[in-house]
Amino acid sequence: MVLRACRVCKYLTEGKKCEMCGSEDLTTKWKGVINIVDPGRSEIAKELGITKPGKYALSVE
Ligand SMILES: [Zn+2]
């Protein structure tokens, strides 16, 4: 299983397209996983600009 990170919103997906924003600009070069459950209450989510729950990469190349 290869997880790819979306370069636009950092969402992690197994598919060829980001399920969050629809972008096909995905990369396997990413670091760190963050699981956002409640974006409204998460400081990290605010910092990364995440508004929807899900698994995200901390940094994307
Ligand atoms: Zn995306």
Side-chain angles (χ1 to χ4, degrees):
M1 183 183 84
V2 180
L3 272 177
R4 293 178 174 86
C6 172
R7 281 201 175 98
V8 179
C9 68
K10 293 186 176 152
Y11 185 73
L12 289 172
T13 179
E14 290 172 45
K16 289 183 176 176
K17 202 174 167 185
C18 175
E19 289 139 46
M20 195 60 76
C21 70
S23 167
E24 287 178 28
D25 190 7
L26 308 176
T27 177
T28 52
K29 291 180 180 173
W30 53 270
K31 279 178 195 164
V33 181
I34 177 169
N35 199 4
I36 302 292
V37 181
D38 189 348
R41 288 187 184 187
S42 169
E43 288 300 319
I44 301 165
K46 278 179 206 164
E47 229 170 80
L48 296 175
I50 292 164
T51 54
K52 290 176 187 172
K55 260 190 192 174
Y56 295 85
L58 267 180
S59 72
V60 175
E61 238 175 71

